[in-house]
Structure formats: structure tokens, C-alpha cells
Amino acid sequence: MEIFYEIEPLKKRLAQLRAQGKSIGFVATMGALHLGHVSLVEKSNQDNDITAVSIFVNPTQFNNKEDLEKYPRNLEADIHLLEENEADIVFAPAVSEMYPQPDNRQFEIGAVAEVMEGKYRPGHFNGVCQVVSKLLNIMEPDNAYFGQKDYQQIAVIRTMVKKYMPDFKGKIISCPIKRESDGLALSSRNQHLSADQRVSALLISKTLFKAKEMSDKGATQKELVDYIKKSIATDANLCLEYVEIADKDTLQPIKGDLPKNAVICITVYDGKTRLIDNILL
Ligand code: PAF
């Protein structure tokens, strides 16, 4: 596995590999890697000759300084895990390498970025667009893999690529959420949970699974939202930030009857840890 900290040598190496006819898969991460990330690396390994992984805690997507400072970092363990899982290239730049000057670009993504995370974390998606556009330009992958746990992020990235990167030839590939055997969605932030909070966190996925069951049996949108709010409120560690039932492509609220192509997105504070999850109906 080759490790790069600077853009230019990485680009040179990728150009060499491309000239040898090798296809390149890319997995963007902020480190603190877990089996969810590993599943993206595995998918990329299946589909491509070369898998490149970036590890970069992107400061511009954090709208909360404490959250950025607290974000778990463990480069050595990450590199070890990637080596074990047969990634070929790791790119772990410093902030000064990615942002030698402040990035003042403002991405106009439209409605898909304005709801849910866009509403509760102002500036977050602009930061995601800044870093992902830079990374895609550096990597020029044939395929880029993103986890569906950040459901809205994938929709935002697809829109950004369409609108701002017309020459980008690669595919943006959405991969299923990876869960613990008890249902908890894997997240780097799970590391922050105490044993007690870890038990509470389980109620999030349990509630979503039950809501899907209710939806399959014909429950209305109001019944689902009422049930989810009540269920999360039963645990004293949990505080619901939002639950939205939205169109799975546009992420806009659904008026009237629930169609089949809806997604429930939820964000819950478990103590001080902000957890997100979602389920397709
Ligand atoms: O999903 C993430 O981990 C990040 O938002 C990403 C895509 C790596 C950009 O920093």
C-alpha cells in the first residue's frame, strides 16, 4: 500500500496507473475507520484495479468548533485497517495541503441541500462540496463510493458533480448502510458513546425498523412520525433533533399519502453525540 501526504506526487502516481490501463476506485473518508468504510473499500476492490482512500478531517464542513476538535482521529490504526483490507493507495493530507488558501467557493446546490442536515448544520454541505470536488479532481476516479448512512450527502454530491464538474467522467456509487448485528448503524461517532448511551442508541434503528414495518402495513405519514417521536422520547439519553419523511430522490417533504419511494431520515442526540440514521420505505 502506498501512502501519500501531498497532492502532486499522488496525481503523478495515479496518472501512471491510469496509463497502464488500471481503473481507479475512490473512497473518501474522515478517518476513524470502521467496518462501514471497509465495506466501501471491499466494493471498490471488487469493481476496480486500484482502490484509493483519502483520510482527511475536513474543517470546512464542521459548523461547530467543538465537534471538529472532538472528531476521533487515529491515522496509524486507519492505515493498518486499510492495509489489512487491501487498499492500494492512501491519501492523508494536512489541512494546509488541501487548503493552502481559504476556500471561498459557494456551491448553489438548491433544495436538496436546504432541508434536514442543510437546515440544522448551516454551511455543512458547502464544506462537503468544497472537499469532495477537490478530492474528485485529484483522484479522477472511475468510481467513487459513498455510504448511504449519509443519505442526503450522496444526493448533494450527485447534484454538485452534475452542476459544477461537467467534465467528471466517473460514477458516484451509493452503498448500503453497514450495521452492527444488533442494528446500530456504524459511525465514527459511536466511539464517543458510553456503555449506557450505546444501549440507548440502539433504539434509533429499532424505531426505524418498526416504522418501516408499520409503513408496509399501510400506516400514514402522521402515524409514523408520531410513533417515531414517542418511541425516541421513551429514552432519557436521547433527544430527537428531527425526523423527516422525504422523497428518496429530491429529499423534499411528501405531501399527502406516502408513496413507496420515500426515505425516513432521523437525527438524534445521544448525550452530546449526534447520530444520524435513515431507512428506505
Ligand atoms: O462522509 C464523510 O465522511 C465526509 O463527509 C466526506 C465525504 C469524507 C467528506 O469530508
Side-chain angles (χ1 to χ4, degrees):
M1 191 170 79
E2 297 173 74
I3 303 175
F4 294 84
Y5 298 94
E6 289 169 2
I7 296 170
E8 283 316 313
L10 168 64
K11 282 176 81 165
K12 252 192 208 151
R13 179 70 182 126
L14 289 170
Q16 261 174 9
L17 291 164
R18 239 176 259 115
Q20 292 166 13
K22 307 240 189 249
S23 59
I24 293 166
F26 172 49
V27 179
T29 83
M30 297 206 298
L33 302 182
H34 50 65
L35 294 179
H37 298 110
V38 168
S39 72
L40 303 181
V41 170
E42 282 171 353
K43 175 84 175 105
S44 172
N45 277 340
Q46 278 165 23
D47 296 352
N48 306 278
D49 300 316
I50 298 291
T51 292
V53 180
S54 63
I55 298 176
F56 179 64
V57 181
N58 171 39
T60 73
Q61 72 187 73
F62 286 80
N63 59 327
N64 175 326
K65 205 167 157 247
E66 196 190 329
D67 193 21
L68 172 62
E69 278 160 13
K70 257 183 30 188
Y71 200 83
R73 292 162 170 89
N74 194 343
L75 186 58
E76 218 173 291
D78 289 345
I79 286 174
H80 185 68
L81 189 66
L82 290 174
E83 193 137 43
E84 263 179 13
N85 288 281
E86 297 176 1
D88 301 286
I89 288 181
V90 174
F91 177 46
V95 173
S96 55
E97 180 69 9
M98 287 297 279
Y99 298 110
Q101 284 94 37
D103 189 340
N104 295 319
R105 290 175 299 161
Q106 288 297 323
F107 290 81
E108 303 292 335
I109 300 298
V112 82
E114 280 158 19
V115 291
M116 300 193 279
E117 293 299 281
K119 185 161 136 201
Y120 286 89
R121 300 182 70 189
H124 166 66
F125 283 133
N126 200 60
V128 169
C129 289
Q130 289 174 341
V131 77
V132 172
S133 61
K134 275 179 195 267
L135 289 169
L136 292 178
N137 277 324
I138 294 166
M139 298 284 180
E140 296 182 57
D142 296 277
N143 298 297
Y145 300 85
F146 295 90
Q148 215 163 283
K149 188 171 79 65
D150 295 291
Y151 192 91
Q152 189 179 9
Q153 171 171 275
I154 300 181
V156 168
I157 290 171
R158 285 190 199 285
T159 309
M160 181 277 288
V161 167
K162 227 185 236 165
K163 186 164 174 188
Y164 292 95
M165 302 181 68
D167 297 332
F168 181 73
K169 302 268 186 311
K171 281 199 205 119
I172 304 295
I173 297 180
S174 158
C175 301
I177 299 179
K178 211 58 194 166
R179 297 183 182 276
E180 302 273 10
S181 55
D182 59 9
L184 179 68
L186 295 185
S187 164
S188 304
R189 292 175 196 270
N190 293 351
Q191 292 185 22
H192 294 314
L193 301 174
S194 66
D196 186 38
Q197 290 167 342
R198 170 68 180 74
V199 173
S200 299
L202 202 51
L203 185 59
I204 303 168
S205 55
K206 258 190 168 168
T207 301
L208 289 181
F209 297 154
K210 172 79 182 162
K212 168 147 173 56
E213 227 178 275
M214 290 167 65
S215 161
D216 289 344
K217 289 184 184 148
T220 64
Q221 180 165 192
K222 181 172 179 328
E223 283 165 346
L224 294 183
V225 170
D226 287 350
Y227 161 71
I228 292 167
K229 285 183 176 167
K230 262 198 198 142
S231 174
I232 297 296
T234 60
D235 191 300
N237 282 332
L238 302 183
C239 179
L240 180 74
E241 185 167 60
Y242 66 79
V243 54
E244 299 276 353
I245 303 185
D247 179 279
K248 81 172 182 23
D249 299 314
T250 65
L251 291 173
Q252 300 311 293
I254 292 166
K255 296 195 181 85
D257 289 348
L258 269 188
K260 278 278 166 254
N261 55 351
V263 58
I264 307 179
C265 295
I266 189 168
T267 295
V268 175
Y269 276 92
D270 187 353
K272 283 189 159 180
T273 306
R274 189 174 187 273
L275 299 174
I276 66 174
D277 202 346
N278 64 76
I279 197 162
L280 281 163
L281 296 182

